[in-house]
Amino acid sequence: MRRLYLKIYFTIVASLVLVVLITGAVWRFGSGDGESPAEQTLNMVGELASFALPPADAPAAAQQRAVGDLAQRLGTDLALFSQTGIPIAAAGRRLPPPPRDGDGGWMRGLGGPAWSLRLPDRRWVVVRAPRPVRHPAIGLVLFLAGVALAVALGAYPVVRGLTRRLERLQTGVETLGAGNLSARVSVEGKDEVARLAESFNRSAERIEDLVGAHRMLLANASHELRTPLSRIRLGLELLHETKDEKYKSEIERNIAELDTMIDEILLASRLDATRRLQSEEPVDLLALAAEEGARYDGCAVEGEAVTVRGERRLLGRLIRNLIENAARHGAPPVRVAVGRDSAVAVLEVTDGGAGIPEAERERVFLPFHRLQRDTQGAGLGLALVRQIARLHGGDAVVAPRPGHPSCLRVTLPLVAG
């Protein structure tokens, strides 16, 4: 049995059948020596007969008349036997003689089961029930069997509906595994299976985004890497022909640019696949900004000391990219301001440039995106800034201010306390 819904369904049915059988067995064997209601009734009939019948020394005609009247009133077959089992009087169909030993009880005969009872004067009364006597356990078993059948019929659509959703989820997983990254499953209900379907859809969406980002990264990286490689190839040819040292320095500059680009591509790819920081520590954002700002001429750092929690190396890369973006694409002076706003730390980098057009303020954070007529860099600097900020629970936006149209703002959660 390889189908889950059949396993669940037959488990329910088997459990109900087991309940019916156990209940019947307990009723049948657990009553001990106690009498059933039918036996109690027949014993009462025998007791009443002992009072209604004439004494043993009464004439046979009187005993026959009394037995006939009693059988007619009870609507059953009745017979009276002597102590030794000799028939004395009878009414109705023929009844089997009482047992020679014992105190009576059920007897089997051609006319159906009969009940024998010894009277106080040692005579025997044998009576046949007006209809076949059925053990009371049979009625209970039949009732429970009907309940089991109703539960079995009602449980099947519930069990089948549950496993059908699991089968659809399995189909979605197989479709996703076959390479269709757009595969999703419908979410039905609010139970565990529905939550599992939601988790699958979120995972599939995340996988699709990651694969799409990696494909775009690979396509853009292959395009961007060709430029410095072409310049290096051309520089080598010119250096070989002219022996001019200026081409050597140009080759070295292109190699450094290529190395920086590869480092940014690898970092962007790693951050895409990272859901949490590998290590965290308290970081003084103002001190880190001053350390990074000292690398650039004409960069001023000001503000108040604020502490954030994160990976110092990544936060340093974030600040460096912001300052380098301002120095490369803006105009002096470049200023870095560190402060706090409510429960977040604020890092702002401004320069004297015209700023980023409003239509481009979100697109500049896309990998390999450049503004028009911008030929410097690979377009990964600001994309890394936003990735690092969001990995630390913050964000990065273009936030021009009066007097400072070129301003990039990063917010990060402050360390509590």
Side-chain angles (χ1 to χ4, degrees):
M1 192 182 300
R2 302 177 61 183
R3 303 301 295 273
L4 178 61
Y5 80 93
L6 289 178
K7 291 181 181 179
I8 298 175
Y9 180 68
F10 282 120
T11 299
I12 295 175
V13 173
S15 300
L16 292 172
V17 171
L18 186 62
V19 168
V20 172
L21 294 178
I22 292 176
T23 303
V26 170
W27 184 284
R28 174 64 180 87
F29 300 106
S31 58
D33 296 332
E35 296 178 337
S36 68
E39 293 172 345
Q40 294 176 0
T41 301
L42 292 173
N43 279 330
M44 291 177 62
V45 170
E47 294 292 336
L48 292 174
S50 65
F51 291 102
L53 294 175
D57 55 357
Q63 296 192 47
Q64 178 63 42
R65 187 166 51 253
V67 167
D69 292 342
L70 186 59
Q72 184 177 5
R73 291 181 181 180
L74 296 175
T76 185
D77 304 327
L78 186 68
L80 180 64
F81 293 87
S82 67
Q83 179 178 354
T84 58
I86 299 174
I88 299 176
R93 293 174 297 171
R94 184 177 178 179
L95 289 166
R100 295 183 178 275
D101 300 322
D103 296 328
W106 287 109
M107 299 184 302
R108 299 293 176 181
L110 295 177
W115 182 262
S116 61
L117 177 69
R118 186 186 292 274
L119 299 178
D121 58 7
R122 310 301 295 172
R123 288 181 298 174
W124 287 92
V125 171
V126 178
V127 60
R128 180 181 288 123
R131 56 185 177 183
V133 178
R134 185 177 64 186
H135 197 282
I138 297 177
L140 177 62
V141 171
L142 291 177
F143 171 75
L144 292 178
V147 173
L149 179 61
V151 172
L153 294 177
Y156 181 83
V158 176
V159 173
R160 190 68 188 102
L162 171 65
T163 55
R164 187 177 290 114
R165 288 191 289 156
L166 292 176
E167 290 171 1
R168 285 197 291 268
L169 185 59
Q170 178 189 7
T171 302
V173 172
E174 292 174 350
T175 304
L176 181 68
N180 183 5
L181 301 182
S182 63
R184 301 291 186 274
V185 296
S186 59
V187 179
E188 302 175 10
K190 297 182 179 179
D191 54 10
E192 290 82 355
V193 178
R195 290 194 290 272
L196 181 61
E198 292 175 351
S199 299
F200 169 78
N201 288 340
R202 286 194 300 268
S203 300
E205 184 177 359
R206 175 66 177 163
I207 292 172
E208 186 177 20
D209 291 343
L210 284 176
V211 172
H214 287 167
R215 286 174 178 171
M216 184 183 69
L217 185 66
L218 181 61
N220 289 325
S222 62
H223 173 74
E224 294 295 334
L225 290 173
R226 287 193 182 99
T227 302
L229 287 174
S230 299
R231 291 200 300 262
I232 291 172
R233 186 182 298 110
L234 178 60
L236 288 172
E237 292 176 357
L238 293 174
L239 179 63
H240 179 71
E241 292 177 0
T242 64
K243 308 298 182 182
D244 192 341
E245 290 297 321
K246 69 177 182 180
Y247 294 116
K248 182 179 179 181
S249 61
E250 182 67 20
I251 291 172
E252 292 174 349
R253 187 184 65 79
N254 283 309
I255 290 175
E257 180 185 344
L258 184 62
D259 182 66
T260 301
M261 187 183 302
I262 292 174
D263 179 61
E264 289 182 339
I265 290 172
L266 293 176
L267 180 58
S269 179
R270 181 170 68 86
L271 293 179
D272 270 339
T274 301
R275 304 296 295 176
R276 62 180 59 185
L277 295 170
Q278 294 181 350
S279 62
E280 293 186 28
E281 60 178 313
V283 178
D284 187 334
L285 200 59
L286 180 62
L288 186 59
E291 180 182 331
E292 294 295 335
R295 300 173 184 265
Y296 300 88
D297 295 333
C299 178
V301 179
E302 60 185 12
E304 60 178 311
V306 293
T307 302
V308 297
R309 190 167 186 84
E311 191 171 333
R312 182 181 180 84
R313 183 178 60 86
L314 289 179
L315 292 173
R317 184 60 176 269
L318 177 148
I319 298 172
R320 189 185 317 150
N321 282 10
L322 287 172
I323 298 175
E324 187 170 336
N325 178 80
R328 178 182 294 176
H329 304 287
V334 177
R335 303 180 66 85
V336 180
V338 179
R340 67 178 69 212
D341 182 9
S342 184
V344 296
V346 178
L347 173 74
E348 291 185 340
V349 178
T350 60
D351 62 76
I356 299 173
E358 185 175 355
E360 298 283 342
R361 289 176 184 172
E362 278 297 314
R363 301 180 64 189
V364 292
F365 293 103
L366 297 176
F368 299 102
H369 179 76
R370 294 194 188 99
L371 298 179
Q372 291 183 355
R373 296 182 298 275
D374 184 4
T375 59
Q376 299 185 34
L380 283 172
L382 293 183
L384 288 174
V385 167
R386 175 168 280 184
Q387 281 181 295
I388 295 171
R390 289 183 173 177
L391 189 60
H392 285 76
D395 204 356
V397 296
V398 177
R401 295 187 286 109
H404 297 283
S406 181
C407 177
L408 290 170
R409 177 186 175 98
V410 173
T411 54
L412 297 169
L414 284 169
V415 173

